[in-house]
Amino acid sequence: MSTNKGGGGGKKKKEVKKETKLGMGYKKDDNFGEWYSEVVVNSEMIEYYDISGCYILRPWAMEIWELLKEFFDSEIKKLKLKPYYFPLFVTENVLQKEKDHIEGFAPEVAWVTKSGKSDLEAPIAIRPTSETVMYPYFSKWIRSHRDLPLKCNQWCNVVRWEFSNPTPFIRSREFLWQEGHTVFATKEEADEEVLQILELYRRIYEEFLAVPVSKGRKSEMEKFAGGLYTTSVEIGVMIMTHGDDKGLVLPPKVAPIQVIVIPVPFKDADTTAIKGACESAVYTLNQAGIRADLDARENYSPGWKYSQWEMKGVPLRIEIGPKDLANKQVRIVRRDNGTKVDIPSTDLVEQVRVLLDGIQVNLLETAKAKRDACIEIISTWDEFIAALNNKKLILAPWCDEEEVEKDVKARTKGELGAAKTLCTPFDQPDLPSGTVCFASGKPAQKWSFWGRSY
Amino acid sequence: MSTNKGGGGGKKKKEVKKETKLGMGYKKDDNFGEWYSEVVVNSEMIEYYDISGCYILRPWAMEIWELLKEFFDSEIKKLKLKPYYFPLFVTENVLQKEKDHIEGFAPEVAWVTKSGKSDLEAPIAIRPTSETVMYPYFSKWIRSHRDLPLKCNQWCNVVRWEFSNPTPFIRSREFLWQEGHTVFATKEEADEEVLQILELYRRIYEEFLAVPVSKGRKSEMEKFAGGLYTTSVEIGVMIMTHGDDKGLVLPPKVAPIQVIVIPVPFKDADTTAIKGACESAVYTLNQAGIRADLDARENYSPGWKYSQWEMKGVPLRIEIGPKDLANKQVRIVRRDNGTKVDIPSTDLVEQVRVLLDGIQVNLLETAKAKRDACIEIISTWDEFIAALNNKKLILAPWCDEEEVEKDVKARTKGELGAAKTLCTPFDQPDLPSGTVCFASGKPAQKWSFWGRSY
């Protein structure tokens, strides 16, 4: 079922909060799912749409997307990838050519069968991904080794009509992405590029979104048909990792507004002078290349504004009131840990830079610590089951045999989802000779990450 | 009918030319339609696709699009438009709400009726434009005048399943565009913004694509339902205007490569030194912010390379051979008029800048002269008919009555297409009192442009 008139995209729709009652209705630790739905809506990243699994991306989400896109696009252009745009549509005939590849997508393909009131002669698919759209033309364009390498990238929308639990940024029926497709004369060149691109994805996660990742290789069973690695940029992970009970927490490098400046007038105070000081602060920060903005709205109280910008995850808030004006200072409040400092106006740019850098580092370090606390290194089947039940990310010595992986999956099927390999990290702990596989007892070949499917 | 397996998108497909026979098979003046199809393919802007009316945009087209997009997006951000992304899909119910608006699009709407093997409960349309997708949410977000203005822009793909003569860039079933939608508290603010945006479109045409335009207002009969103006950026016009029998001619401001540098080795010449001089020229130009590239391919002759880069419309070609090396000079050849100059290597950047600016101006001036030669100012019905038969762009005194416009349309219906108003230019020639309408004999209210529908 797909259409849901006037509803909240399959989600129970909550009452729109009154302006005086801005804030979160759910706590992250109490009800993670509802907290997530609330934070993406209240921070104005997402508006639910009247087709389930489709979402409106509002400026607060799009500006983050644009910042990531700008970085990534300029980096892949340095690697000589060229921009292309292939059509949204693909004929059934072409789509079916790559049998193995398309098998996984078939149940999710959306089909156009009519234009206006007329039936099309043959149904036409909307791309779930573009391999089948592109590769027939690659073989046309590449007539000899002289035409290599061919390096193609496109930014586009794709459609996968999924039925399980749509969630903004995590699982939606239409989404925006980047797909790079390259052809080389030798496997060595291709291998090299895979690692270059994987490193860019790592930087997106760690340097921009402040989310730690492990680079690694998928098992034969879990890999994308024909591919070595499968990586994806899920902004939802960033929200889940850093967000708290006040709403979103944005890493400074992806925050559309890094510093929000709020005037704090008080009774007889000189409101004109306060507003002037605020404008001057914004101007000074902007000149220094810092994304700062002024919230001069007169129909909202300072306290209400604090809540709203906390909800939207802006890394730093600057408050300027009569006392600050008199002391030629500003008060700066950090979103990530709530600490407040008063700093002289003359040091504004320097101090803001230090604070923003500090927040970026702190978010990544905190997320790393959380992630590390979730990892459990095990060596036996019993330890494995215990860790799985505790929802741990499991690092285990493994014999690297597909039969064993299938067997583990079969033996763990149950309420929480079967266990599967996530990846074999490039960064391998020591594996003393004589170490055995936790599942088969055969000699272990490598350490691999295991977790629940979901 | 929509699917056209292995064919050339409804066009007769020409033999792929052998590498030694690069060049154009048609002349612009002899067979404009075939010339156009050939130039968009041979310049590597477009590849025909196996669904009629859909085209693959290759880097040579996408890089132009990116240059235009970069300019336009930064300008509208100065006007405080914010980036949004609304879904590709719209329910039948919502689509039908704006009856008048959607009537024109209805026959061209593509409908998704299936996902995988299952029928959807209700068909879902693919956006032909996003008014109906967006406006229900605008009314949700705007709860009082305090939420105004709302300024929304999105870059996206839209689909119009047209059946008449698909042509790359001019009429395609899927195309990329920008759509800005803004809401203001007063008509004055909206009026002001319309003119600001119209000015940006003018700059895209004149400053970037070197295509002269007339700013003006559509008649009541021809206007977009609910709109004051309809403007569109059609890169096809740029190709048609400047292209010649050697292929594409790109204005420097939109050329992905502005200068192509080609080594011209000769028998016993020092090929290493020549290649070194070429690399140095490219490096120097790039450092100065000029988009220059080296064609060092060894399996093609210089002559073949000249033809290929002329086909692709690169504004300047630099040739460096033994004589140039000895004289510390380079030879520069202009694409627009073929003139050649030898300039000292020390003046390279300065001279290239002057030449690129000169080409940009020359293309616009030439196009203006051609356009002006096409305009005919008329005052009587007989003159109107004669000018129409000569395919002129007609500037005529008009009473500005819808009935008269309908009447003119009816009286001119025929093989070449009925006459219609194009726009009333803001820049109005003198209209002496007593001037009468060319069609009705009533007092004329204004000068308007008329032409054939096509």
Side-chain angles (χ1 to χ4, degrees), chain B residues 357-389:
Chain B
D357 290 349
I359 294 172
Q360 186 79 31
V361 170
N362 180 48
L363 289 177
L364 180 60
E365 291 305 318
T366 306
K368 268 189 183 152
K370 270 190 223 162
R371 194 259 327 252
D372 291 347
C374 281
I375 295 177
E376 194 156 320
I377 300 178
I378 63 100
S379 55
T380 68
W381 180 259
D382 288 350
E383 287 171 7
F384 180 77
I385 292 297
L388 205 60
N389 287 332

mmCIF file of all heavy atoms in Angstrom, chain B residues 357-389:
data_model
loop_
_atom_site.group_PDB
_atom_site.id
_atom_site.type_symbol
_atom_site.label_atom_id
_atom_site.label_comp_id
_atom_site.label_asym_id
_atom_site.label_seq_id
_atom_site.Cartn_x
_atom_site.Cartn_y
_atom_site.Cartn_z
ATOM 1 N N ASP B 357 37.500 37.205 -23.969
ATOM 2 C CA ASP B 357 36.506 38.277 -23.798
ATOM 3 C C ASP B 357 35.958 38.714 -25.148
ATOM 4 O O ASP B 357 34.757 38.936 -25.307
ATOM 5 C CB ASP B 357 37.137 39.485 -23.094
ATOM 6 C CG ASP B 357 37.438 39.191 -21.637
ATOM 7 O OD1 ASP B 357 36.969 38.139 -21.132
ATOM 8 O OD2 ASP B 357 38.138 39.996 -20.992
ATOM 9 N N GLY B 358 36.859 38.824 -26.129
ATOM 10 C CA GLY B 358 36.451 39.250 -27.467
ATOM 11 C C GLY B 358 35.467 38.264 -28.094
ATOM 12 O O GLY B 358 34.484 38.661 -28.722
ATOM 13 N N ILE B 359 35.721 36.988 -27.912
ATOM 14 C CA ILE B 359 34.826 35.974 -28.482
ATOM 15 C C ILE B 359 33.456 36.054 -27.822
ATOM 16 O O ILE B 359 32.420 36.011 -28.487
ATOM 17 C CB ILE B 359 35.429 34.558 -28.307
ATOM 18 C CG1 ILE B 359 36.701 34.430 -29.149
ATOM 19 C CG2 ILE B 359 34.412 33.486 -28.693
ATOM 20 C CD1 ILE B 359 37.484 33.144 -28.894
ATOM 21 N N GLN B 360 33.455 36.188 -26.482
ATOM 22 C CA GLN B 360 32.180 36.273 -25.760
ATOM 23 C C GLN B 360 31.342 37.440 -26.301
ATOM 24 O O GLN B 360 30.154 37.289 -26.590
ATOM 25 C CB GLN B 360 32.453 36.458 -24.260
ATOM 26 C CG GLN B 360 31.213 36.416 -23.375
ATOM 27 C CD GLN B 360 30.714 34.993 -23.104
ATOM 28 O OE1 GLN B 360 31.477 34.045 -23.049
ATOM 29 N NE2 GLN B 360 29.401 34.859 -22.960
ATOM 30 N N VAL B 361 31.981 38.604 -26.463
ATOM 31 C CA VAL B 361 31.284 39.792 -26.971
ATOM 32 C C VAL B 361 30.854 39.583 -28.421
ATOM 33 O O VAL B 361 29.716 39.861 -28.798
ATOM 34 C CB VAL B 361 32.199 41.036 -26.867
ATOM 35 C CG1 VAL B 361 31.589 42.219 -27.615
ATOM 36 C CG2 VAL B 361 32.449 41.383 -25.404
ATOM 37 N N ASN B 362 31.765 39.051 -29.219
ATOM 38 C CA ASN B 362 31.483 38.863 -30.639
ATOM 39 C C ASN B 362 30.287 37.947 -30.872
ATOM 40 O O ASN B 362 29.435 38.207 -31.719
ATOM 41 C CB ASN B 362 32.729 38.308 -31.336
ATOM 42 C CG ASN B 362 32.485 38.083 -32.823
ATOM 43 O OD1 ASN B 362 31.959 38.949 -33.507
ATOM 44 N ND2 ASN B 362 32.842 36.897 -33.309
ATOM 45 N N LEU B 363 30.213 36.857 -30.089
ATOM 46 C CA LEU B 363 29.102 35.918 -30.273
ATOM 47 C C LEU B 363 27.773 36.591 -29.978
ATOM 48 O O LEU B 363 26.795 36.423 -30.704
ATOM 49 C CB LEU B 363 29.284 34.688 -29.376
ATOM 50 C CG LEU B 363 30.400 33.730 -29.789
ATOM 51 C CD1 LEU B 363 30.522 32.595 -28.780
ATOM 52 C CD2 LEU B 363 30.143 33.163 -31.188
ATOM 53 N N LEU B 364 27.735 37.375 -28.898
ATOM 54 C CA LEU B 364 26.493 38.055 -28.553
ATOM 55 C C LEU B 364 26.131 39.104 -29.600
ATOM 56 O O LEU B 364 24.983 39.187 -30.036
ATOM 57 C CB LEU B 364 26.594 38.700 -27.163
ATOM 58 C CG LEU B 364 25.348 39.444 -26.684
ATOM 59 C CD1 LEU B 364 24.136 38.516 -26.593
ATOM 60 C CD2 LEU B 364 25.599 40.105 -25.323
ATOM 61 N N GLU B 365 27.134 39.862 -30.063
ATOM 62 C CA GLU B 365 26.878 40.900 -31.067
ATOM 63 C C GLU B 365 26.387 40.283 -32.370
ATOM 64 O O GLU B 365 25.437 40.771 -32.986
ATOM 65 C CB GLU B 365 28.150 41.722 -31.315
ATOM 66 C CG GLU B 365 28.561 42.602 -30.140
ATOM 67 C CD GLU B 365 27.441 43.533 -29.682
ATOM 68 O OE1 GLU B 365 26.758 44.113 -30.549
ATOM 69 O OE2 GLU B 365 27.218 43.643 -28.448
ATOM 70 N N THR B 366 27.040 39.211 -32.781
ATOM 71 C CA THR B 366 26.635 38.532 -34.019
ATOM 72 C C THR B 366 25.210 38.002 -33.896
ATOM 73 O O THR B 366 24.396 38.148 -34.802
ATOM 74 C CB THR B 366 27.601 37.367 -34.326
ATOM 75 O OG1 THR B 366 28.928 37.885 -34.334
ATOM 76 C CG2 THR B 366 27.290 36.725 -35.659
ATOM 77 N N ALA B 367 24.919 37.402 -32.748
ATOM 78 C CA ALA B 367 23.583 36.854 -32.533
ATOM 79 C C ALA B 367 22.544 37.977 -32.504
ATOM 80 O O ALA B 367 21.435 37.830 -33.021
ATOM 81 C CB ALA B 367 23.545 36.053 -31.234
ATOM 82 N N LYS B 368 22.923 39.116 -31.912
ATOM 83 C CA LYS B 368 22.001 40.263 -31.879
ATOM 84 C C LYS B 368 21.716 40.764 -33.285
ATOM 85 O O LYS B 368 20.567 41.054 -33.635
ATOM 86 C CB LYS B 368 22.611 41.408 -31.056
ATOM 87 C CG LYS B 368 22.221 41.384 -29.597
ATOM 88 C CD LYS B 368 22.674 42.675 -28.902
ATOM 89 C CE LYS B 368 22.321 42.590 -27.412
ATOM 90 N NZ LYS B 368 23.229 43.394 -26.578
ATOM 91 N N ALA B 369 22.778 40.853 -34.085
ATOM 92 C CA ALA B 369 22.608 41.331 -35.460
ATOM 93 C C ALA B 369 21.684 40.390 -36.241
ATOM 94 O O ALA B 369 20.781 40.834 -36.953
ATOM 95 C CB ALA B 369 23.969 41.446 -36.143
ATOM 96 N N LYS B 370 21.900 39.063 -36.048
ATOM 97 C CA LYS B 370 21.040 38.081 -36.730
ATOM 98 C C LYS B 370 19.604 38.204 -36.243
ATOM 99 O O LYS B 370 18.655 38.152 -37.015
ATOM 100 C CB LYS B 370 21.521 36.653 -36.406
ATOM 101 C CG LYS B 370 22.537 36.089 -37.363
ATOM 102 C CD LYS B 370 22.733 34.591 -37.050
ATOM 103 C CE LYS B 370 24.210 34.230 -37.090
ATOM 104 N NZ LYS B 370 24.527 32.984 -36.410
ATOM 105 N N ARG B 371 19.444 38.339 -34.946
ATOM 106 C CA ARG B 371 18.100 38.463 -34.365
ATOM 107 C C ARG B 371 17.420 39.728 -34.904
ATOM 108 O O ARG B 371 16.273 39.694 -35.341
ATOM 109 C CB ARG B 371 18.206 38.516 -32.830
ATOM 110 C CG ARG B 371 16.906 38.310 -32.076
ATOM 111 C CD ARG B 371 16.231 39.577 -31.547
ATOM 112 N NE ARG B 371 17.079 40.660 -31.138
ATOM 113 C CZ ARG B 371 17.290 41.032 -29.883
ATOM 114 N NH1 ARG B 371 16.728 40.366 -28.915
ATOM 115 N NH2 ARG B 371 18.051 42.072 -29.612
ATOM 116 N N ASP B 372 18.173 40.846 -34.890
ATOM 117 C CA ASP B 372 17.591 42.102 -35.365
ATOM 118 C C ASP B 372 17.183 42.009 -36.832
ATOM 119 O O ASP B 372 16.166 42.563 -37.244
ATOM 120 C CB ASP B 372 18.579 43.260 -35.155
ATOM 121 C CG ASP B 372 18.755 43.575 -33.667
ATOM 122 O OD1 ASP B 372 17.944 43.068 -32.858
ATOM 123 O OD2 ASP B 372 19.698 44.305 -33.314
ATOM 124 N N ALA B 373 18.000 41.274 -37.599
ATOM 125 C CA ALA B 373 17.667 41.108 -39.018
ATOM 126 C C ALA B 373 16.390 40.292 -39.199
ATOM 127 O O ALA B 373 15.733 40.351 -40.234
ATOM 128 C CB ALA B 373 18.828 40.444 -39.749
ATOM 129 N N CYS B 374 16.029 39.537 -38.160
ATOM 130 C CA CYS B 374 14.826 38.704 -38.235
ATOM 131 C C CYS B 374 13.582 39.458 -37.795
ATOM 132 O O CYS B 374 12.463 39.013 -38.039
ATOM 133 C CB CYS B 374 14.966 37.483 -37.337
ATOM 134 S SG CYS B 374 15.963 36.222 -38.091
ATOM 135 N N ILE B 375 13.784 40.562 -37.102
ATOM 136 C CA ILE B 375 12.627 41.306 -36.601
ATOM 137 C C ILE B 375 12.088 42.194 -37.716
ATOM 138 O O ILE B 375 12.844 42.883 -38.405
ATOM 139 C CB ILE B 375 13.016 42.177 -35.385
ATOM 140 C CG1 ILE B 375 13.444 41.285 -34.210
ATOM 141 C CG2 ILE B 375 11.855 43.094 -34.983
ATOM 142 C CD1 ILE B 375 13.904 42.040 -32.993
ATOM 143 N N GLU B 376 10.778 42.154 -37.905
ATOM 144 C CA GLU B 376 10.185 43.078 -38.865
ATOM 145 C C GLU B 376 9.105 43.883 -38.165
ATOM 146 O O GLU B 376 8.230 43.310 -37.510
ATOM 147 C CB GLU B 376 9.617 42.306 -40.061
ATOM 148 C CG GLU B 376 9.312 43.228 -41.227
ATOM 149 C CD GLU B 376 9.319 42.480 -42.562
ATOM 150 O OE1 GLU B 376 10.204 41.609 -42.754
ATOM 151 O OE2 GLU B 376 8.428 42.759 -43.379
ATOM 152 N N ILE B 377 9.215 45.190 -38.295
ATOM 153 C CA ILE B 377 8.201 46.056 -37.695
ATOM 154 C C ILE B 377 7.126 46.299 -38.747
ATOM 155 O O ILE B 377 7.422 46.707 -39.870
ATOM 156 C CB ILE B 377 8.824 47.391 -37.232
ATOM 157 C CG1 ILE B 377 9.916 47.096 -36.199
ATOM 158 C CG2 ILE B 377 7.753 48.329 -36.667
ATOM 159 C CD1 ILE B 377 10.645 48.312 -35.687
ATOM 160 N N ILE B 378 5.889 45.981 -38.415
ATOM 161 C CA ILE B 378 4.815 46.085 -39.407
ATOM 162 C C ILE B 378 3.676 46.937 -38.837
ATOM 163 O O ILE B 378 3.606 47.170 -37.626
ATOM 164 C CB ILE B 378 4.267 44.700 -39.802
ATOM 165 C CG1 ILE B 378 3.632 44.006 -38.572
ATOM 166 C CG2 ILE B 378 5.357 43.809 -40.390
ATOM 167 C CD1 ILE B 378 2.180 44.081 -38.495
ATOM 168 N N SER B 379 2.808 47.398 -39.756
ATOM 169 C CA SER B 379 1.673 48.162 -39.246
ATOM 170 C C SER B 379 0.329 47.717 -39.821
ATOM 171 O O SER B 379 -0.714 48.076 -39.301
ATOM 172 C CB SER B 379 1.895 49.663 -39.485
ATOM 173 O OG SER B 379 2.148 49.894 -40.849
ATOM 174 N N THR B 380 0.350 46.906 -40.895
ATOM 175 C CA THR B 380 -0.927 46.479 -41.488
ATOM 176 C C THR B 380 -1.028 44.957 -41.525
ATOM 177 O O THR B 380 -0.026 44.246 -41.370
ATOM 178 C CB THR B 380 -1.047 46.978 -42.949
ATOM 179 O OG1 THR B 380 -0.070 46.285 -43.742
ATOM 180 C CG2 THR B 380 -0.810 48.483 -43.032
ATOM 181 N N TRP B 381 -2.245 44.472 -41.755
ATOM 182 C CA TRP B 381 -2.494 43.025 -41.829
ATOM 183 C C TRP B 381 -1.709 42.386 -42.966
ATOM 184 O O TRP B 381 -1.116 41.312 -42.806
ATOM 185 C CB TRP B 381 -3.997 42.761 -41.991
ATOM 186 C CG TRP B 381 -4.298 41.293 -42.076
ATOM 187 C CD1 TRP B 381 -4.553 40.557 -43.187
ATOM 188 C CD2 TRP B 381 -4.298 40.364 -40.977
ATOM 189 N NE1 TRP B 381 -4.729 39.237 -42.879
ATOM 190 C CE2 TRP B 381 -4.586 39.089 -41.512
ATOM 191 C CE3 TRP B 381 -4.100 40.491 -39.601
ATOM 192 C CZ2 TRP B 381 -4.673 37.944 -40.729
ATOM 193 C CZ3 TRP B 381 -4.186 39.349 -38.820
ATOM 194 C CH2 TRP B 381 -4.471 38.107 -39.371
ATOM 195 N N ASP B 382 -1.653 43.047 -44.122
ATOM 196 C CA ASP B 382 -0.937 42.478 -45.261
ATOM 197 C C ASP B 382 0.550 42.339 -44.969
ATOM 198 O O ASP B 382 1.174 41.335 -45.295
ATOM 199 C CB ASP B 382 -1.156 43.338 -46.520
ATOM 200 C CG ASP B 382 -2.578 43.179 -47.059
ATOM 201 O OD1 ASP B 382 -3.293 42.260 -46.562
ATOM 202 O OD2 ASP B 382 -2.982 43.963 -47.932
ATOM 203 N N GLU B 383 1.094 43.382 -44.363
ATOM 204 C CA GLU B 383 2.503 43.318 -43.975
ATOM 205 C C GLU B 383 2.736 42.182 -42.969
ATOM 206 O O GLU B 383 3.756 41.490 -43.007
ATOM 207 C CB GLU B 383 2.956 44.639 -43.330
ATOM 208 C CG GLU B 383 3.121 45.779 -44.328
ATOM 209 C CD GLU B 383 3.354 47.131 -43.633
ATOM 210 O OE1 GLU B 383 3.516 47.145 -42.389
ATOM 211 O OE2 GLU B 383 3.359 48.148 -44.334
ATOM 212 N N PHE B 384 1.758 42.011 -42.068
ATOM 213 C CA PHE B 384 1.845 40.958 -41.047
ATOM 214 C C PHE B 384 1.935 39.584 -41.701
ATOM 215 O O PHE B 384 2.805 38.772 -41.378
ATOM 216 C CB PHE B 384 0.613 41.059 -40.137
ATOM 217 C CG PHE B 384 0.576 40.025 -39.039
ATOM 218 C CD1 PHE B 384 1.366 40.162 -37.894
ATOM 219 C CD2 PHE B 384 -0.267 38.919 -39.128
ATOM 220 C CE1 PHE B 384 1.320 39.223 -36.880
ATOM 221 C CE2 PHE B 384 -0.316 37.967 -38.115
ATOM 222 C CZ PHE B 384 0.469 38.125 -36.986
ATOM 223 N N ILE B 385 1.031 39.321 -42.647
ATOM 224 C CA ILE B 385 0.990 38.022 -43.323
ATOM 225 C C ILE B 385 2.262 37.769 -44.126
ATOM 226 O O ILE B 385 2.841 36.686 -44.080
ATOM 227 C CB ILE B 385 -0.261 37.946 -44.248
ATOM 228 C CG1 ILE B 385 -1.534 37.923 -43.402
ATOM 229 C CG2 ILE B 385 -0.196 36.723 -45.172
ATOM 230 C CD1 ILE B 385 -1.668 36.714 -42.489
ATOM 231 N N ALA B 386 2.727 38.812 -44.797
ATOM 232 C CA ALA B 386 3.957 38.674 -45.587
ATOM 233 C C ALA B 386 5.135 38.339 -44.668
ATOM 234 O O ALA B 386 5.937 37.436 -44.943
ATOM 235 C CB ALA B 386 4.236 39.969 -46.359
ATOM 236 N N ALA B 387 5.232 39.053 -43.549
ATOM 237 C CA ALA B 387 6.336 38.830 -42.602
ATOM 238 C C ALA B 387 6.250 37.430 -41.991
ATOM 239 O O ALA B 387 7.256 36.745 -41.802
ATOM 240 C CB ALA B 387 6.300 39.895 -41.511
ATOM 241 N N LEU B 388 5.013 36.999 -41.705
ATOM 242 C CA LEU B 388 4.800 35.672 -41.123
ATOM 243 C C LEU B 388 5.285 34.582 -42.080
ATOM 244 O O LEU B 388 5.956 33.634 -41.672
ATOM 245 C CB LEU B 388 3.297 35.509 -40.834
ATOM 246 C CG LEU B 388 2.891 34.532 -39.732
ATOM 247 C CD1 LEU B 388 3.478 34.941 -38.396
ATOM 248 C CD2 LEU B 388 1.357 34.473 -39.642
ATOM 249 N N ASN B 389 4.963 34.764 -43.364
ATOM 250 C CA ASN B 389 5.381 33.782 -44.363
ATOM 251 C C ASN B 389 6.895 33.762 -44.536
ATOM 252 O O ASN B 389 7.460 32.756 -44.928
ATOM 253 C CB ASN B 389 4.690 34.043 -45.701
ATOM 254 C CG ASN B 389 3.223 33.645 -45.629
ATOM 255 O OD1 ASN B 389 2.853 32.751 -44.859
ATOM 256 N ND2 ASN B 389 2.387 34.324 -46.410
#
